[in-house]
Amino acid sequence: MTSVDVKDLRYQYHDGLEALRGINLSIEKDERVCIAGPNGAGKSTLLHCLAGLLKGNGQVSVANAELKNLDSSIFGLVFQNPDDQLFCPTLGDDIAFGPRNQKLAKDVVAERVRESLALVGLEGFEYRHPHHLSIGEKKRAAIAAVMACKPKILALDEPWANLDARASRSVTDILKNFDGTVIVISQDLYYAAAVCKRMVVMDGGMVIADGDMKKLLAQEKVLEYFVAVDDDGCPLCHSRTRI
Amino acid sequence: MRSQRKIRHEYSVSALADLSLDVRSRILITLLFIISIVTTAPYQLLMFLIYAGLISWGAALARISLVTVFGRALIVLPFSLVVALGVPFFTGGETVVFFGLELSIAGLWTLAGVVMKSFLSASTLVLLITVTPINLLMQGLRGLGVPVLLIDLLNLTYRYLFVMLEEAMTLRQAAIARGYRPKWLPQAVIVGRLAGTLFLRSFYRAENIYAAMRLRGYKQVMPSDALPKYEWTSIMMVVLFVFMLISIRLYLGCLK
Amino acid sequence: MHIPDGFISGSINTASAVIAVSAISYALWKLKKETYDQPHKVPLLATTAAFVFAAQMLNFPIGGGTSGHFLGAVTAAALMGPWAALIIMTLVLIIQALFFADGGITALGTNILNMGIVGGLGGCMLMRGIRAVLPVGKLGYLTSVALASWASVILASALCAVELAASQTSPLQIALPAMVATHAVIGIGEALIACAVVTAVIAAHSVILYDCPVTVSTHHSHSHDLKRTGIVIGAGMVLALTLAVLISPFASSYPDGLEKVAEDKGFIEQAASEEQVSWQHSLFPDYAVGAVEHEGISTGLAGFVGTGLVFVAGFILIKLVQRRSSVRSEA
Ligand SMILES: Nc1ncnc2c1ncn2[C@@H]1O[C@H](COP(=O)(O)OP(=O)(O)O)[C@@H](O)[C@H]1O
Ligand SMILES: [Mg+2]
């Protein structure tokens, strides 16, 4: 069963920049996919199109349905900047935001809040002000806020950026244990490899490689995206690319 | 260390919030108390002492140090001094000579009045906001009939206040690091440039926030739980408090 | 300019609270209608309010080792429109009063009246009035923003002084010149900041600006525009300084005023015992306790300000009527 199906998707920003230039992508249910590629490749734009925030030209079907309205119980997107995602005065309110919008009963909402906070290891943080959290806690809280809506597909934009090793590991664990499809954008192939088997490499608004992560990285044309080369042409490992 | 103290403080506040008076009553009592303060004539010094005593009592009940309450209220003094310090010099009526200065007695009373009233009112407010977490306060305001849209806006503003403040301070630091030493007025343009950057960031941030809200099902209003019922015992507390204030003022002849 | 509790009389606070509540209710009603097709406005207004709050923390020097700070009412109006500006200023003022004890709770209505309604709505009307007489284009737009920002700060502070005087807290003869003179200078900083913000926004993304009159081309003659804007702002500053200079002898003549008052003390005591008013006289320069010279100056100033206000108000009215009728004739 396919979870995400994209056919010849194009997207152009107001200023005329064509950020997506014919994307074809199909993701199976419960698959874990890493989208990698240089900055400006169009990865975030693609995710926003999948979430339904942007409307491009082409076919996008999510969970076997043409995407019409946003539905938090189907597609959950975790932004790169958790400050944009945690917009309520307390963490409890923030996590309850999605479930309350799904018109769930009060006790169900409370249960969801407790459950999601426990899932990301933030028990008892209900009354904390988001501004008072560390960046690692914020990232986990943002994931909890999305998971509380119980989406079938969880997409994350650079979840490991700016995190220290411990926080990164806890994010990795959360993603590993998630029950559903996972799409992550990441340059941190070390962590991404722990979660995903499949990798999609994008550049210039197009998919340039798609397949098993380790096999792809054996190819020179893919590897050069992730490896720096010094003056003598000697490959230097990108510090975060060790697998 | 500092962050740990912050955490503990937050917890104690929320614990306290569970224990005591309905937040609507707290807001009403605070408001009525401040109205009582500002309607007291300046020369009724005993009444002002009683107000200070009541604030201290409240702080003791909430186990909050008086230094916090009165210290944070000091913020109002500069305005009082700038606006009212000149008043004793320019007011007519009987005068006293003080270090060779001729000061109007009525003017001195005015000065004393505004200083005491603004300071005590601010202390009362500080007490309220120290013992009441912001989300509870907003719930209370909603319960007292403040429009939901305004409450949503206040919540969002409060949330991004500190984020923006931090960004503003970082921007200023960056300017200072590159030799910005403001000395004369036209350099306000540089503040303006910082502010311009700040606004653009706030604009793009709003786009992201809105996207995040939409993805989690936002439809025009923030969802919130229904307020707990306003118990008549809580209402009685407000009535009792007003009754107490009025009787004290009647007894002392301080009710015009 | 954030008035704490205890400075303003109950009747003035009540009256301004009524005005403020009605204006805000209208603005919220308008916003609510708008959110049906522009729901993003809610987070946008909130982040803009947070921006205004943060920008108010950035001090700028006004000379003599003191500093002023940004108010932001006209800037908000230029960015988002008048009613949104009122909501933004209201949010800022409520949060400052509630969480930072900056500005009183009972004086909240008065503060909203001064800074939100007069500063924001009034400033926006001024901006449109000024823009109507200026040539269309970036220069005219920036000039209108600058002048309206400057005037909005002065108007708000003058109103604040009048309220203090009417509450018998601070005599009008002291409060008005002191407030207006200081804010004539602070207003220059306000104008500079407002222009810088608007310029930054035009350069980045002019679609953001509320009713931006210009399809501003951001690339061509950018430096030229900036230079001309500089000249206009310079001229505005000269005007402002001239005004400040005009006002300052008036303000600094107060020590003499004190002597004069002392001389005429007998008269004051008599007046005070006859009626229960002491400072209400100061509301009306004619009663100004025999201080003839000051009467002359203050009357002159009042006349000047009054004429200016009437002129501007009349002008805006005419322009509004004209615009209406032209729209109608086009339709
Ligand atoms: N809001 C926007 N308006 C215009 N161009 C944009 C916008 N967001 C992104 N872009 C452009 O689209 C391209 C792809 O951006 P993005 O999807 O964010 O890349 P990635 O996430 O892969 O780094 C970039 O060239 C970027 O500059
Ligand atoms: Mg990106």
Side-chain angles (χ1 to χ4, degrees):
Chain A
M1 207 167 91
T2 56
S3 169
V4 171
D5 197 28
V6 178
K7 288 212 179 74
D8 195 34
L9 178 65
R10 295 172 175 275
Y11 187 82
Q12 194 169 26
Y13 279 107
H14 301 296
D15 53 5
L17 188 123
E18 207 170 23
L20 298 181
R21 301 191 292 164
I23 300 277
N24 288 297
L25 186 66
S26 167
I27 297 172
E28 291 300 309
K29 189 168 177 289
D30 293 338
E31 202 175 357
R32 272 107 220 271
V33 181
C34 164
I35 301 179
N39 300 125
K43 305 179 298 285
S44 301
T45 309
L46 175 60
L47 229 49
H48 281 67
C49 285
L50 293 186
L53 287 170
L54 301 176
K55 289 259 177 293
N57 291 321
Q59 237 184 51
V60 178
S61 75
V62 172
N64 289 322
E66 189 78 21
L67 206 59
K68 284 199 200 76
N69 292 317
L70 303 180
D71 190 341
S72 60
S73 63
I74 292 180
F75 197 97
L77 175 58
V78 180
F79 289 23
Q80 185 170 353
N81 183 352
D83 268 329
D84 296 341
Q85 199 138 24
L86 304 169
F87 43 74
C88 295
T90 63
L91 213 48
D93 274 332
D94 214 293
I95 306 221
F97 181 88
R100 278 179 188 157
N101 277 330
Q102 293 176 347
K103 302 274 181 295
L104 298 174
K106 199 174 161 182
D107 46 334
V108 183
V109 172
E111 181 52 36
R112 287 264 184 108
V113 171
R114 212 164 334 109
E115 209 177 87
S116 339
L117 280 174
L119 219 54
V120 298
L122 294 176
E123 293 98 335
F125 273 53
E126 277 94 337
Y127 293 105
R128 300 286 301 275
H129 191 280
H131 189 68
H132 294 164
L133 303 180
S134 74
I135 175 79
E137 287 166 340
K138 276 186 202 171
K139 275 250 157 113
R140 281 187 280 155
I143 297 176
V146 171
M147 298 235 282
C149 306
K150 298 231 183 241
K152 297 195 174 72
I153 304 163
L154 182 63
L156 305 96
D157 199 341
E158 311 264 4
W160 292 289
N162 301 324
L163 292 190
D164 63 26
R166 182 158 18 126
S168 300
R169 232 174 295 133
S170 58
V171 169
T172 311
D173 289 339
I174 296 167
L175 297 188
K176 269 184 183 165
N177 296 329
F178 177 75
D179 177 26
T181 313
V182 176
I183 308 172
V184 304
I185 292 180
S186 183
Q187 307 293 336
D188 299 77
L189 299 186
Y190 174 73
Y191 295 113
V195 179
C196 314
K197 245 179 93 62
R198 178 174 165 200
M199 176 159 84
V200 174
V201 183
M202 283 180 69
D203 191 13
M206 287 186 288
V207 174
I208 57 156
D210 185 349
D212 183 87
M213 190 184 240
K214 296 198 176 166
K215 279 185 192 146
L216 278 187
L217 286 172
Q219 296 175 21
E220 205 160 308
K221 86 165 189 188
V222 172
L223 194 64
E224 73 184 15
Y225 281 106
F226 306 101
V227 175
V229 177
D230 78 359
D231 292 344
D232 307 325
C234 174
L236 300 171
C237 219
H238 189 289
S239 61
R240 296 184 298 187
T241 340
R242 287 165 289 119
I243 304 184
Chain B
M1 187 61 220
R2 232 185 102 228
S3 67
Q4 258 181 354
R5 204 184 311 150
K6 212 186 314 179
I7 293 168
R8 210 167 300 144
H9 173 69
E10 275 180 48
Y11 274 111
S12 69
V13 163
S14 60
L16 193 123
D18 294 337
L19 289 178
S20 48
L21 193 55
D22 187 300
V23 61
R24 283 161 285 201
S25 297
R26 287 193 213 182
I27 295 172
L28 286 177
I29 286 177
T30 307
L31 188 64
L32 292 165
F33 190 65
I34 290 178
I35 290 175
S36 177
I37 291 175
V38 298
T39 52
T40 306
Y43 49 82
Q44 291 164 341
L45 285 176
L46 184 58
M47 209 52 224
F48 286 104
L49 271 178
I50 293 174
Y51 291 139
L54 283 171
I55 295 171
S56 315
W57 181 53
L61 277 183
R63 276 179 286 150
I64 287 170
S65 112
L66 283 183
V67 182
T68 315
V69 174
F70 291 126
R72 281 183 61 187
L74 287 177
I75 184 180
V76 296
L77 285 189
F79 185 94
S80 314
L81 295 182
V82 167
V83 168
L85 203 57
V87 172
F89 295 97
F90 298 99
T91 313
E94 265 180 67
T95 55
V96 286
V97 177
F98 189 72
F99 286 116
L101 294 172
E102 206 173 338
L103 300 174
S104 144
I105 293 179
L108 282 175
W109 276 120
T110 306
L111 175 61
V114 293
V115 169
M116 287 187 298
K117 288 177 188 180
S118 58
F119 179 70
L120 288 174
S121 306
S123 310
T124 314
L125 201 63
V126 169
L127 182 60
L128 172 74
I129 58 185
T130 328
V131 301
T132 317
I134 133 104
N135 58 323
L136 209 62
L137 203 57
M138 290 297 165
Q139 267 180 30
L141 288 175
R142 186 160 57 99
L144 291 171
V146 176
V148 179
L149 184 56
L150 191 60
I151 300 282
D152 290 351
L153 283 165
L154 279 171
N155 272 328
L156 275 168
T157 309
Y158 187 79
R159 167 66 183 94
Y160 287 102
L161 205 62
F162 300 99
V163 180
M164 296 301 292
L165 267 178
E166 224 164 59
E167 284 187 4
M169 292 309 140
T170 316
L171 281 173
R172 201 179 55 164
Q173 224 95 60
I176 288 173
R178 288 192 281 155
Y180 170 59
R181 298 284 181 283
K183 270 188 218 75
W184 57 308
L185 184 57
Q187 283 168 322
V189 172
I190 297 170
V191 173
R193 298 230 177 91
L194 301 187
T197 314
L198 206 59
F199 172 73
L200 287 174
R201 284 196 201 166
S202 78
F203 181 86
Y204 293 121
R205 186 181 285 283
E207 281 188 347
N208 289 340
I209 296 167
Y210 177 58
M213 290 164 78
R214 229 153 50 104
L215 279 176
R216 285 193 277 151
Y218 172 75
K219 303 249 159 48
Q220 271 125 37
V221 271
M222 296 285 211
S224 57
D225 286 336
L227 282 166
K229 200 170 150 257
Y230 200 4
E231 302 286 344
W232 68 271
T233 45
S234 302
I235 302 174
M236 276 316 288
M237 289 296 284
V238 181
V239 176
L240 267 178
F241 186 80
V242 173
F243 183 72
M244 178 188 77
L245 273 183
I246 293 179
S247 1
I248 294 176
R249 286 182 68 166
L250 274 179
Y251 181 71
L252 295 174
C254 300
L255 201 66
K256 265 191 297 190
Chain C
M1 230 191 295
H2 293 63
I3 308 172
D5 287 313
F7 279 75
I8 301 292
S9 73
S11 48
I12 295 182
N13 272 337
T14 314
S16 20
V18 170
I19 298 174
V21 167
S22 348
I24 295 163
S25 308
Y26 178 70
L28 283 175
W29 174 78
K30 248 177 105 71
L31 174 65
K32 201 165 186 178
K33 261 194 353 188
E34 281 169 14
T35 51
Y36 279 103
D37 28 307
Q38 299 166 290
H40 67 277
K41 273 221 162 168
V42 172
L44 181 57
L45 286 189
T47 56
T48 309
F51 151 74
V52 169
F53 188 99
Q56 287 191 354
M57 296 287 157
L58 297 169
N59 290 341
F60 54 84
I62 57 170
T66 50
S67 61
H69 74 74
F70 182 56
L71 176 66
V74 170
T75 311
L79 296 170
M80 307 274 169
W83 296 101
L86 173 62
I87 294 181
I88 289 168
M89 293 313 287
T90 304
L91 291 171
V92 172
L93 289 167
I94 291 179
I95 286 185
Q96 280 167 339
L98 262 186
F99 301 108
F100 299 89
D102 191 6
I105 290 294
T106 57
L108 189 56
T110 309
N111 283 325
I112 291 176
L113 176 66
N114 296 351
M115 289 179 261
I117 297 179
V118 170
L121 289 183
C124 186
M125 282 178 65
L126 264 176
M127 181 169 66
R128 287 178 178 177
I130 296 169
R131 200 197 296 159
V133 285
L134 293 174
V136 177
K138 191 172 165 188
L139 183 70
Y141 183 68
L142 285 182
T143 312
S144 72
V145 171
L147 290 179
S149 301
W150 182 69
S152 75
V153 174
I154 294 180
L155 282 178
S157 70
L159 186 58
C160 175
V162 170
E163 287 153 356
L164 286 170
S167 310
Q168 309 189 9
T169 300
S170 181
L172 194 67
Q173 303 110 300
I174 318 173
L176 187 62
M179 285 291 259
V180 170
T182 334
H183 286 88
V185 183
I186 292 180
I188 300 175
E190 176 85 14
L192 292 177
I193 296 179
C195 275
V197 171
V198 171
T199 311
V201 173
I202 289 176
H205 198 164
S206 63
V207 198
I208 301 173
L209 281 179
Y210 182 84
D211 71 7
C212 180
V214 240
T215 40
V216 193
S217 72
T218 48
H219 304 295
H220 97 114
S221 76
H222 190 59
S223 62
H224 184 60
D225 260 357
L226 273 183
K227 205 165 158 192
R228 288 208 298 171
T229 312
I231 293 170
V232 170
I233 291 174
M237 274 169 59
V238 170
L239 183 76
L241 285 175
T242 320
L243 264 176
V245 167
L246 271 177
I247 293 161
S248 56
F250 177 62
S252 63
S253 65
Y254 270 96
D256 308 336
L258 182 63
E259 281 164 35
K260 199 77 190 168
V261 170
E263 275 174 35
D264 294 319
K265 214 177 62 187
F267 172 67
I268 305 166
E269 275 173 321
Q270 198 186 348
S273 60
E274 275 171 11
E275 295 168 76
Q276 274 287 337
V277 282
S278 47
W279 295 318
Q280 250 140 359
H281 297 291
S282 57
L283 260 181
F284 313 101
D286 291 338
Y287 293 111
V289 212
V292 183
E293 308 96 327
H294 299 150
E295 197 189 323
I297 300 173
S298 60
T299 315
L301 182 77
F304 178 72
V305 172
T307 317
L309 282 181
V310 170
F311 178 77
V312 170
F315 197 80
I316 292 171
L317 255 177
I318 290 170
K319 278 290 161 188
L320 279 179
V321 171
Q322 277 180 349
R323 203 177 278 179
R324 276 275 159 76
S325 50
S326 71
V327 167
R328 221 168 273 157
S329 61
E330 274 167 31

